[in-house]
């Protein structure tokens, strides 16, 4: 089956390459001029000692963390996502700027011997499911459609703020995907898949609407590098845990819990991120060195050709943390009018306070000492009626009416 | 008549083939078509060129002593000046300045030596987007020595003639001398090349000449139909301080006038909250020279994140949120001062973060009596606090306070916090930004729908696109005519319609149909049906050829 999938993959690669090339050329002039202007811009910046304010061009950070697989034996994917969530929160991105999508609930799973925990280290050293995990899309809500809707912003108007990606043209976004994948696709929920072309198109729509300033895409699945092959929008940097044709392996099982706890790439990524603090100056070149082949068995890959800045000048906290730029307020306006009295209130003293009483929603005492209530008799409803009719019908059919005399 | 077996077979095959081709194929084509409503693609392409024409009316009034009565008769009544600038090669903006020259020799307004401009004496109210420039003689003492231009709170300016015009010169020389100076005034008060380029930063990554414009463009919020403002009082030490702030009255008195004045630009909603036991997250250092605790500029960046997790937001709307925090330090760390980067004092004791909001530190240790009994009741001085917040609000909303050119004196804005010409400036840049953003949205939507043939285009999307296109065309026309208020209104309507069309939930191209998958679906359906037909047709053809040969 895998073999035939690969055949299909090559087939449509040929057919659609022309289309994608057309897209690329459409954007080339604009992108070309942008690059020219931007390199002039950059050279001027490097001359100034302007500091961090102008080096990154972003003012806020967002993170979209997705775990796509369900079932208990995919515990490690949920643990992967939660450990990245934990790092990102620790480095400063608030919950309102994180969209966390977990396809299954491991912490409250019936097979979890330690409920309300998700561990990422053997011997249960680190519980990544802490006290304040906020999952925005859970269970069956994690679908390809919802994921693409979050990215492109095409959500129904009734969607609450916490489920939206409200980024603007000065937002740096981190997107982390994990699960089971193949050459050119990622499996969602064991029933559907997202292809790399769809993902690239979604990013292009984000770029058209200027929904990001820079985007870092990390994927930890088998053959993950195939998912970023098709990107064509500017300012994207991508990392994957394995190349095409390789499998990403899991790290270590925990004998008490009974499943593998983490994948190798994310395990070493978490170790790397634990050393980063909000004022750290580590850059992307360090991130590319995470999990070499000796530790990971698979070969991690990265793609930076669409990214305008040099990866060595990009700080880890530009994507994983949220370091705000601040300016001192030098001016103040002199206000001399006295405060107007707000006239709706009755003049001093007569404030009517409503008497609130405590509404007993769960009257425990009544429940415990409950006497059995007298139930009114109701005639039998539909099901019982139908069942008895059936029985009677069969009876009369079998025995006939004239034999009834013998029975009664 | 009896047809032979073979003949009947041939007729059957031919008629089935006919039915399949004439009835079946068109039926299949029509039923598997996706519904795509018509979009005004040609008009969208026309708009995408984005040739904007901005025109501002300037009325020039000559005071006594600037022109002689003979020259006054010869001054032309209107004069226009055009300036064409190309930005990034594909769009051209014309700055068209209509100068209506008016020679009123009213000088009684200028007899007093106080720097009150005639705007206070009930002259005609200048409409939105226009200016009045009063030209005063060089020897006038209305302005201080080194100041040549004074910009008032309403839409007026005083311009002093230069010393080279002292001796009676000809009218042409006078006009030639005045034109570039009036243009300079217009650049400060209405729009300049940098402002328009900054407003178009969506389409163009520009390389500005100075750092200020980059900071300005990054600091101000993007144009949005509404904003939410939240005022929060942070009290980390309720055991020591019992704080009272009259936020409702303060908002009503100080903030609401500014927001009412800005209502053509956007809607605002305000709420406030008090948070207890919320620390700043950064340890301040004790500075013995000032015997106070200090927070230096580098650690300010880490202050916001721990606090932001506690701030709520209005879940009902997706508007950008501006947060203004008032932090009262706890008793152990009072007083707390903010230091600039070069360790200088900050009089306002406040800082702001681009596109987020502002934080002010309010020290209350001065309110303790001689024998303070904790908790101390403290009434916060809202005028001082709101003065700082108002200044930060101005910066965050994009009312640029870039330094004016040398020789200019700008009047301080009144108690509303916004001068009329600053409002005009904001409206110019917002209109251009809205028009550019709406055009980009509509163009990319049309491109997207064109490329992906499988997306269904409903009627409501087509209607939104059409109304966006109409509003855009009206906005461009109003900008050309110089009606700034209407232009802004149409541009806002265009943005709303285009965003609604672009972000419509039904436009999700969910399933990507590569051609080989389409084959895989249709072959099992059509192949078993077509193979007998094809084979029998081939047999008919080969038999007919055989018969011809014999």
């Amino acid at each position: 089956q895998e073999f035939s999938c690969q055949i299909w993959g090559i087939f449509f690669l040929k057919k659609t390459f022309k289309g994608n090339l057309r897209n690329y050329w459409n954007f080339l002039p604009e992108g070309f001029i942008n690059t020219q202007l931007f390199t002039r811009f950059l050279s001027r910046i490097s001359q100034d000692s302007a500091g961090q304010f102008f080096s990154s061009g972003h003012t806020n950070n967002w993170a979209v963390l997705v775990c796509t697989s369900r079932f208990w034996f995919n515990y490690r994917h949920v643990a992967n996502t939660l450990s990245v969530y934990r790092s990102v929160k620790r480095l400063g991105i608030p919950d309102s700027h994180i969209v966390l999508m977990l396809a299954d609930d491991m912490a409250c799973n019936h097979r979890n011997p330690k409920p309300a925990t998700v561990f990422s280290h053997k011997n249960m050293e680190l519980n990544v499911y802490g006290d304040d995990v906020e999952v925005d899309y859970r269970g069956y809500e994690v679908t390809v459609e919802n994921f693409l809707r979050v990215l492109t912003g095409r959500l129904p108007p009734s969607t609450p703020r916490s489920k939206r990606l409200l980024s603007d043209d000065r937002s740096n976004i981190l997107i982390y995907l994990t699960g089971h994948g193949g050459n050119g696709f990622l499996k969602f929920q064991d029933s559907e898949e997202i292809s790399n072309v769809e993902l690239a198109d979604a990013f292009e729509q984000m770029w058209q609407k200027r929904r990001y300033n820079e985007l870092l895409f990390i994927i930890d699945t088998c053959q993950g590098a195939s998912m970023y092959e098709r990107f064509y929008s500017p300012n994207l940097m991508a990392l994957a845990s394995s190349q095409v044709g390789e499998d990403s392996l899991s790290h270590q099982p925990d004998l008490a819990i009974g499943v593998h706890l983490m994948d190798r790439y994310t395990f070493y990524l978490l170790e790397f991120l634990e050393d980063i603090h909000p004022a750290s100056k580590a850059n992307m070149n360090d991130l590319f060195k995470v999990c070499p082949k000796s530790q990971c068995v698979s070969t991690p890959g990265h793609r930076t050709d669409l990214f305008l800045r040099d990866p060595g000048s990009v700080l880890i906290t530009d994507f994983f943390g949220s370091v705000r730029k601040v300016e001192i307020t030098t001016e103040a306006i002199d206000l001399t009018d006295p405060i107007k009295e707000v006239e709706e209130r009755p003049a001093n003293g007569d404030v009517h306070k409503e008497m609130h009483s405590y509404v007993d929603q769960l009257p425990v005492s009544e429940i415990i000492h409950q006497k059995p209530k007298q139930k009114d008799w109701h005639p039998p409803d539909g099901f019982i009626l139908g069942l008895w009719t059936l029985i009677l019908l069969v009876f009369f059919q079998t025995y006939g009416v004239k034999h009834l005399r013998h029975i009664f | 008549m009896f047809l032979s077996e073979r003949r009947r077979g041939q007729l059957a095959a031919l008629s089935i083939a006919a039915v399949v081709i004439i009835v079946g194929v068109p039926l299949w084509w029509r039923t598997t078509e996706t519904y795509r409503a018509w979009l005004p693609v040609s008009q969208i392409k026309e708009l995408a060129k984005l040739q904007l024409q901005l025109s501002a009316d300037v009325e020039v009034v000559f005071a006594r002593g600037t022109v002689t009565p003979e020259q006054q008769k010869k001054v032309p009544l209107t004069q226009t000046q055009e300036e064409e600038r190309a930005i990034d090669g594909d769009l051209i903006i014309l700055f068209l300045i209509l100068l209506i020259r008016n020679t009123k020799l009213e000088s009684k307004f200028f007899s007093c030596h106080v720097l009150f401009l005639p705007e206070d004496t009930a002259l005609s109210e200048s409409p939105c987007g226009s200016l009045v420039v009063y030209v005063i003689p060089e020897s006038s003492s209305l302005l201080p020595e080194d100041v040549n231009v004074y910009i008032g709170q309403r839409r007026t300016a005083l311009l002093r003639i230069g010393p080279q015009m002292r001796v009676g010169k000809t009218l042409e020389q006078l006009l030639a001398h005045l034109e570039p100076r009036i243009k300079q005034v217009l650049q400060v008060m209405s729009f300049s090349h940098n402002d328009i380029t900054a407003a178009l930063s969506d389409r163009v990554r520009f390389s500005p000449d100075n750092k200020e414009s980059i900071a300005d463009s990054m600091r101000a919020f993007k144009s949005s139909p509404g904003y939410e403002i939240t005022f929060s009082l942070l009290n980390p030490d309720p055991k020591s301080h019992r704080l009272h702030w009259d936020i409702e009255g303060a908002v009503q008195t100080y903030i609401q006038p500014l927001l009412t004045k800005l209502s053509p630009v956007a809607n605002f909603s305000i709420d406030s909250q008090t948070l207890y036991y919320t620390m700043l997250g950064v340890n301040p250092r004790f500075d013995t020279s000032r015997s106070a605790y200090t927070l230096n500029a580098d650690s300010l960046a880490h202050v916001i994140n721990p606090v932001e997790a506690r701030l709520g937001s209005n879940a009902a709307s997706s508007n950008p949120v501006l947060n203004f925090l008032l932090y009262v330090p706890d008793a152990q760390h009072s007083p707390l001062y903010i230091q600039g980067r070069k360790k200088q004092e900050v009089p306002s004791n406040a800082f702001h973060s681009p596109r987020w909001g502002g934080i002010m530190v309010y020290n209350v240790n001065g309110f303790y009596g001689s024998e303070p009994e904790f908790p101390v009741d403290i009434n916060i001085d809202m005028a001082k606090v709101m003065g700082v917040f108002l200044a930060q609000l101005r910066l965050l909303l994009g009312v640029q306070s870039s330094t004016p050119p040398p020789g200019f004196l700008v009047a301080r804005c009144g108690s509303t916090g916004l001068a009329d010409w600053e409002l005009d400036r904001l409206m110019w840049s917002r209109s251009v930004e809205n028009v550019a953003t709406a055009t980009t949205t509509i163009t990319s939507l049309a491109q997207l729908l064109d490329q992906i043939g499988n997306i269904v285009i409903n009627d409501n999307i087509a209607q939104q696109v059409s109304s966006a296109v109409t509003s855009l065309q009206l906005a461009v026309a109003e900008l050309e005519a110089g009606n700034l208020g209407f232009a802004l209104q149409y541009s806002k309507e265009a943005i709303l319609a285009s965003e609604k069309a672009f972000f419509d939930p039904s436009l999700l191209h969910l399933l990507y149909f590569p051609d080989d998958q389409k084959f895989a679906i249709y072959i099992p359906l059509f192949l078993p049906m077509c193979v007998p037909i094809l084979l029998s047709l081939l047999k008919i053809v080969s038999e007919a050829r055989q018969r011809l040969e014999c």
Side-chain angles (χ1 to χ4, degrees):
Chain A
Q1 196 178 14
E2 209 186 30
F3 185 67
S4 63
C5 283
Q6 285 177 346
I7 296 283
W8 285 127
I10 297 171
F11 194 44
F12 87 71
L13 202 83
K14 264 201 300 200
K15 287 248 173 201
T16 57
F17 188 67
K18 227 195 305 182
N20 279 340
L21 201 61
R22 182 160 44 93
N23 289 343
Y24 182 70
W25 282 111
N26 269 343
F27 296 117
L28 188 59
E30 184 186 326
F32 200 56
I33 292 180
N34 284 350
T35 326
Q36 276 188 334
L37 288 174
F38 213 77
T39 42
R40 260 194 287 151
F41 180 54
L42 279 178
S43 60
R44 209 167 300 201
I45 291 306
S46 58
Q47 288 160 19
D48 300 327
S49 58
Q52 201 207 2
F53 198 106
F54 308 110
S55 63
S56 60
H58 75 281
T59 59
N60 53 21
N61 284 80
W62 285 81
V64 179
L65 311 172
V66 184
C67 161
T68 60
S69 31
R70 54 173 37 240
F71 306 130
W72 172 246
F73 50 82
N74 289 323
Y75 183 102
R76 58 189 189 279
H77 297 141
V78 173
N80 288 350
T81 319
L82 283 173
S83 43
V84 177
Y85 172 78
R86 177 205 139 79
S87 309
V88 147
K89 253 180 95 156
R90 186 178 56 83
L91 290 172
I93 303 186
D95 270 316
S96 52
H97 284 231
I98 303 179
V99 178
L100 178 63
M101 303 170 79
L102 296 180
D104 201 0
D105 187 7
M106 298 303 169
C108 300
N109 197 307
H110 301 299
R111 295 169 71 169
N112 192 347
K114 300 268 183 206
T117 59
V118 172
F119 290 108
S120 67
H121 274 67
K122 170 170 82 160
N123 300 327
M124 304 187 203
E125 280 166 21
L126 184 60
N127 174 19
V128 289
Y129 198 83
D131 290 336
D132 56 349
V133 171
E134 187 185 297
V135 182
D136 300 304
Y137 286 85
R138 56 185 73 132
Y140 287 109
E141 290 173 357
V142 179
T143 56
V144 175
E145 180 183 340
N146 281 345
F147 176 58
L148 289 179
R149 282 192 191 280
V150 165
L151 286 184
T152 53
R154 295 205 169 97
L155 289 158
S158 57
T159 318
R161 218 181 156 107
S162 57
K163 283 188 164 177
R164 287 182 189 257
L165 179 64
L166 294 169
S167 53
D168 55 23
D169 64 321
R170 295 273 174 202
S171 306
N172 277 8
I173 307 183
L174 166 74
I175 297 188
Y176 176 81
L177 295 174
T178 183
H180 289 289
N183 189 358
F185 66 93
L186 171 63
K187 185 176 77 155
F188 265 71
Q189 297 267 17
D190 215 31
S191 61
E192 51 182 2
E193 55 207 34
I194 184 173
S195 64
N196 48 6
V197 180
E198 281 174 342
L199 198 58
D201 283 342
F203 286 155
E204 176 57 29
Q205 289 186 49
M206 286 175 79
W207 174 250
Q208 286 287 320
K209 223 23 203 118
R210 297 292 186 271
R211 276 165 70 78
Y212 67 88
N213 177 36
E214 288 168 349
L215 201 140
L216 176 64
F217 175 77
I218 304 184
I219 184 162
D220 188 354
T221 63
C222 304
Q223 310 193 51
S226 63
M227 288 304 281
Y228 61 64
E229 272 173 5
R230 293 304 188 115
F231 291 170
Y232 54 92
S233 317
N235 270 344
L236 295 176
M237 191 177 342
L239 279 117
S241 60
S242 55
Q243 301 291 335
V244 173
E246 287 180 348
D247 289 336
S248 280
L249 301 178
S250 56
H251 188 60
Q252 15 147 259
D254 181 287
L255 296 174
I257 297 181
V259 285
H260 287 259
L261 292 186
M262 284 270 275
D263 279 333
R264 283 179 189 244
Y265 183 74
T266 312
F267 180 82
Y268 290 108
L269 181 68
L270 177 63
E271 250 184 34
F272 172 75
L273 288 175
E274 290 285 308
D275 288 333
I276 308 281
H277 55 91
S280 148
K281 296 285 173 206
N283 58 31
M284 281 295 160
N285 284 332
D286 304 325
L287 192 63
F288 295 154
K289 296 198 201 97
V290 161
C291 205
K293 196 172 163 92
S294 54
Q295 284 174 329
C296 252
V297 184
S298 58
T299 321
H302 55 92
R303 178 176 179 182
T304 53
D305 58 319
L306 292 166
F307 203 74
L308 286 173
R309 285 195 289 157
D310 171 43
S313 68
V314 180
L315 299 177
I316 300 283
T317 51
D318 279 351
F319 287 103
F320 284 90
S322 174
V323 182
R324 302 269 182 186
K325 300 176 172 40
V326 293
E327 287 178 320
I328 307 282
T329 308
T330 47
E331 292 172 2
I333 297 181
D334 209 12
L335 297 169
T336 48
D337 303 332
I339 296 186
K340 286 194 272 242
E341 288 298 323
V342 184
E343 280 124 23
E344 297 101 86
R345 299 255 181 77
N348 44 350
D350 253 11
V351 187
H352 288 288
K353 283 201 190 287
E354 286 175 28
M355 286 303 296
H356 297 285
S357 60
Y358 178 70
V359 175
D360 213 2
Q361 286 183 329
L362 200 63
V364 179
S365 50
E366 285 176 23
I367 292 174
I368 292 180
H369 302 290
Q370 206 167 15
K371 288 203 187 80
K373 260 199 284 194
Q374 294 289 349
K375 264 206 166 133
D376 305 304
W377 181 84
H378 295 283
D381 62 12
F383 174 67
I384 304 292
L385 211 58
L387 191 64
W388 276 105
T389 314
L390 191 64
I391 292 174
L392 286 172
L393 261 173
V394 172
F395 179 73
F396 283 126
Q397 185 131 28
T398 328
Y399 291 109
V401 183
K402 52 187 189 308
H403 295 277
L404 270 181
R405 264 184 288 125
H406 302 281
I407 300 172
F408 291 111
Chain B
M1 71 174 176
F2 286 119
L3 293 168
S4 68
E5 193 71 33
R6 215 191 60 203
R7 193 81 189 125
R8 249 192 301 172
Q10 283 176 347
L11 268 180
L14 281 171
S15 52
I16 291 176
V19 164
V20 164
I21 292 175
I22 295 174
V23 177
V25 169
L27 193 66
W28 164 71
W29 190 260
R30 292 289 295 186
T31 48
T32 54
E33 221 176 35
T34 49
Y35 179 73
R36 294 170 75 93
W38 176 82
L39 291 178
V41 183
S42 56
Q43 291 182 14
I44 293 174
K45 277 209 187 61
E46 189 61 42
L47 278 171
K49 289 194 221 125
L50 204 64
Q51 293 193 331
L52 288 179
Q53 201 166 321
L54 304 170
S55 60
D57 286 344
V58 178
E59 187 177 326
V60 180
V61 180
F62 289 95
R64 179 156 42 160
T66 45
V67 287
T68 60
E70 302 85 38
Q71 286 175 330
Q72 180 227 329
K73 293 194 188 65
K74 286 190 257 160
V75 169
L77 220 50
T78 67
Q79 189 165 330
T80 62
Q81 262 199 352
E82 285 185 25
E83 199 186 303
E84 212 174 279
R85 295 285 192 112
I87 297 178
D88 200 29
D90 64 336
L91 37 94
I92 303 167
I93 298 188
L94 297 164
F95 288 23
L96 191 83
I97 307 171
L98 299 165
L99 294 170
I100 306 173
R101 288 172 190 264
N102 195 332
T103 57
K104 278 191 264 180
L105 292 181
E106 311 277 351
S107 68
K108 60 177 182 281
F109 297 116
F110 300 93
S111 55
C112 48
H113 292 256
V114 192
L115 221 58
F116 280 126
L117 270 195
E119 59 204 3
D120 293 339
T121 60
L123 269 183
S124 61
E125 180 84 18
S126 317
C128 191
S130 64
L131 297 176
V132 180
V133 177
Y134 293 92
V135 182
I136 58 176
E138 199 258 340
S139 52
S140 165
S141 53
L142 270 178
L143 298 175
E145 277 296 317
D146 49 350
V147 172
N148 292 326
V149 181
Y150 172 76
I151 298 182
Q153 285 179 6
R154 303 279 185 84
R155 302 178 173 100
T156 51
L158 280 181
L159 182 67
R160 194 215 295 268
I161 297 186
Q164 57 267 44
M165 290 289 139
R166 201 176 302 177
V167 182
K169 296 277 184 147
T170 64
L171 188 62
E172 287 77 25
Q173 286 169 327
L174 184 66
L175 293 178
H177 165 77
L178 279 178
E179 252 165 53
R181 302 192 58 203
I182 291 183
K183 208 191 289 187
Q184 200 184 21
V185 171
L186 202 75
Q187 283 187 345
V188 172
M189 288 179 76
S190 286
F191 48 81
S192 68
H193 184 62
N194 277 343
D195 293 334
I196 302 297
T197 322
L200 292 169
S201 61
D202 232 12
R203 291 170 74 99
V204 173
R205 279 295 169 112
F206 66 116
S207 58
D209 301 316
N210 53 345
K211 288 188 286 192
E212 258 183 49
S213 335
I214 319 174
D216 281 345
S217 77
M218 274 174 63
R219 181 192 307 129
F221 277 86
K222 290 238 107 170
S223 167
S224 158
Y227 296 95
E228 304 201 2
I229 303 181
T230 306
F231 292 100
S232 309
L233 173 65
L234 280 93
N235 187 0
D237 199 6
K239 290 200 288 285
S240 315
H241 306 133
R242 202 182 290 150
L243 300 170
H244 304 280
W245 70 336
D246 183 14
I247 185 66
E248 281 189 46
V251 162
Q252 201 61 33
T253 317
Y254 301 126
I255 308 285
Q256 197 56 44
L258 171 67
L259 300 181
T260 317
K261 206 161 174 186
L262 281 173
S263 51
V265 178
N267 297 325
F268 292 91
S269 84
I270 308 183
D271 39 36
S272 64
Q273 61 180 342
T274 312
L275 291 170
Y276 294 104
Y277 292 108
T278 313
M279 300 295 299
L280 272 187
V282 177
N283 283 326
R285 255 179 270 139
F286 188 74
D287 189 0
T288 42
S289 60
R290 294 166 64 179
S291 66
Y293 287 88
T294 56
L295 273 177
N296 63 338
D298 297 320
S299 56
L300 290 176
H302 305 289
V303 162
I304 296 180
N305 283 326
V307 178
E308 188 171 5
R310 305 282 160 92
L311 300 172
S313 69
N314 190 356
S317 77
S318 318
N319 289 332
V321 179
L322 287 87
N323 290 300
F324 292 103
L325 271 58
L326 182 64
Y327 180 75
V328 174
D330 48 330
Q332 280 107 350
H333 290 115
S334 283
L336 181 63
Y337 293 110
I338 295 180
Q339 272 181 346
R341 279 185 206 279
K342 301 192 186 64
K343 301 275 191 267
Q344 78 269 31
E345 248 190 55
V346 178
S348 62
N349 218 18
F351 63 98
H352 57 272
S353 178
R355 296 205 183 176
W356 185 79
I359 301 185
M360 178 179 174
V361 179
Y362 189 82
N363 290 311
V364 293
N365 56 325
F367 289 90
Y368 297 169
S370 48
E371 286 283 327
E373 188 187 286
F374 292 117
V376 182
D377 271 309
I378 294 169
N379 278 320
I380 295 184
D381 177 15
M382 294 309 289
K384 182 171 144 209
V385 167
M386 283 302 169
V388 173
F389 281 160
L390 210 56
Q392 289 178 340
L393 185 62
R394 274 168 53 100
L395 283 171
L396 290 169
L397 286 175
V399 179
Q400 285 124 317
S401 52
S402 46
T403 49
F408 275 61
L409 178 66
V410 180
R412 278 195 352 236
C413 50
S415 59
T416 52
L418 192 69
D420 280 0
W421 57 271
E422 284 178 329
L423 177 63
D424 282 354
R425 246 184 107 116
L426 191 63
M427 286 168 78
W428 283 115
S429 61
R430 283 293 159 102
S431 308
V432 172
E433 191 182 333
N434 286 350
V435 166
T437 315
T439 313
T440 318
T441 310
I442 290 286
T443 316
S444 57
L445 179 65
Q447 209 175 5
L448 172 79
L449 293 175
D450 195 38
Q451 270 174 6
I452 304 176
N454 286 323
I455 286 189
V456 176
I457 306 178
N458 287 326
D459 279 333
N460 66 329
I461 297 175
Q463 193 220 346
Q464 293 288 342
V465 171
S466 303
S467 81
V469 167
T470 323
S471 301
L472 272 175
Q473 287 168 337
L474 281 169
V476 171
E478 296 286 356
L479 274 179
E480 210 175 297
N483 300 328
L484 188 52
F486 286 118
L488 184 66
Q489 193 189 329
Y490 284 129
S491 68
K492 272 180 20 178
E493 283 172 23
I495 280 248
L496 276 173
S498 62
E499 300 266 315
K500 225 192 249 183
F502 192 89
F503 287 119
D504 192 271
S506 71
L507 280 181
L508 190 70
H509 173 54
L510 178 62
L511 297 169
Y512 174 74
F513 293 127
D515 293 332
D516 51 339
Q517 286 189 14
K518 278 192 202 145
F519 280 138
I521 290 176
Y522 284 128
I523 283 179
L525 291 174
F526 288 140
L527 204 61
M529 180 185 70
C530 286
V531 162
I533 298 177
L534 222 60
L535 286 178
S536 44
L537 283 178
L538 281 175
K539 207 159 134 194
I540 295 172
V541 164
S542 66
E543 280 182 5
R545 211 182 291 150
Q546 261 182 3
R547 226 180 308 125
L548 279 176
E549 280 173 18
C550 312

